[in-house]
Amino acid sequence: MSLIFTGDERWVQWGARDEKSYRVPALLERLKVHHADSYGWALACCAWQPEVAEDVLQEAYLRVLDGRASFQGKSALRTWFFAVIRRVAMETRRAQQRGSVFKLRLISAGQPIEESVAAPPPGDQLYQQRLSDQLRLALMSLSERQREILHLVFYAEMTLEEAADTVGISIGSTRTHYHRGKERLAQLLELEETHD
């Protein structure tokens, strides 16, 4: 199979070489409907770092394409794929942490390290960016599990049951994280509003 990235859609086109490989393109075609939600979930799993989220999402698609992640039909397709994205993001985070330890070793050895600096956001949408930053900071103050559940319910419009399947916890724990996360988020945003 060959991968071809197309324009601004950031979607993958593929070419099947034989009749046996029609199942995977059909699965990817079904996932295409959820691409925007999948990218949003990848962003949430990657602390809203677009470059990392793009890499994570691409790796998730590649795992489907090469068979490392196979859909068994035990849950909804989107729920299963979100779990794949989450798993890839966790592996990526672990790899980055190992890289951080390596950087610390280089620093302690006195070797220079080049760091890339992200470009500032465009100034024409300053107010919208500020609100977005406040929400992002408030979300980052929540526990990782609360962030995940809130994202799945509000942005991906999943039910609590689907969110529980995606994250791999019981429905009772999901409800607890959901309610506590909403309460804490409301407190943080209200506190931020009073400081402004």
Side-chain angles (χ1 to χ4, degrees):
M1 295 206 174
S2 60
L3 294 175
I4 304 167
F5 292 94
T6 60
D8 293 329
E9 293 177 339
R10 294 183 186 239
W11 181 246
V12 178
Q13 299 295 324
W14 55 90
R17 291 186 182 164
D18 56 24
E19 292 183 26
K20 294 178 183 177
S21 56
Y22 285 123
R23 191 172 143 242
V24 170
L27 181 62
L28 285 173
E29 190 63 40
R30 290 174 53 200
L31 286 173
K32 186 176 184 179
V33 174
H34 304 293
H35 182 68
D37 289 339
S38 298
Y39 179 67
W41 176 237
L43 275 172
C45 290
C46 299
W48 291 275
Q49 298 174 358
E51 299 84 18
V52 178
E54 288 172 8
D55 290 344
V56 163
L57 188 57
Q58 180 172 340
E59 176 63 24
Y61 282 125
L62 288 173
R63 287 185 184 190
V64 171
L65 194 60
D66 66 15
R68 287 181 286 160
S70 61
F71 180 60
Q72 304 297 322
K74 295 179 182 177
S75 63
L77 179 68
R78 183 173 72 154
T79 302
W80 166 78
F81 190 60
F82 275 33
V84 171
I85 293 168
R86 182 174 180 267
R87 196 171 312 115
V88 171
M90 287 173 30
E91 291 170 7
T92 301
R93 192 176 323 126
R94 284 188 201 115
Q96 287 175 338
Q97 288 171 347
R98 285 191 299 269
S100 296
V101 170
F102 178 71
K103 286 180 184 176
L104 286 175
R105 289 181 184 155
L106 289 176
I107 290 171
S108 65
Q111 297 180 10
I113 297 175
E114 293 182 24
E115 291 292 330
S116 62
V117 178
D124 57 340
Q125 299 175 352
L126 187 60
Y127 178 73
Q128 203 64 294
Q129 182 66 38
R130 185 168 170 255
L131 290 177
S132 179
D133 289 345
Q134 286 176 345
L135 179 59
R136 188 175 297 118
L137 286 172
L139 283 169
M140 293 305 288
S141 298
L142 301 176
S143 73
E144 181 178 357
R145 193 53 54 93
Q146 290 172 350
R147 270 195 320 269
E148 290 175 342
I149 298 299
L150 289 177
H151 181 90
L152 291 171
V153 171
F154 288 111
Y155 292 110
E157 298 177 355
M158 287 187 174
T159 64
L160 289 175
E161 290 80 12
E162 290 172 328
D165 285 345
T166 300
V167 177
I169 60 175
S170 71
I171 186 64
S173 293
T174 302
R175 284 191 179 107
T176 301
H177 289 297
Y178 174 72
H179 291 295
R180 288 181 182 168
K182 280 194 323 183
E183 289 173 0
R184 180 70 180 135
L185 188 61
Q187 290 171 351
L188 290 168
L189 292 175
E190 185 177 310
L191 182 66
E192 184 67 34
E193 195 174 288
T194 58
H195 284 292
D196 288 344

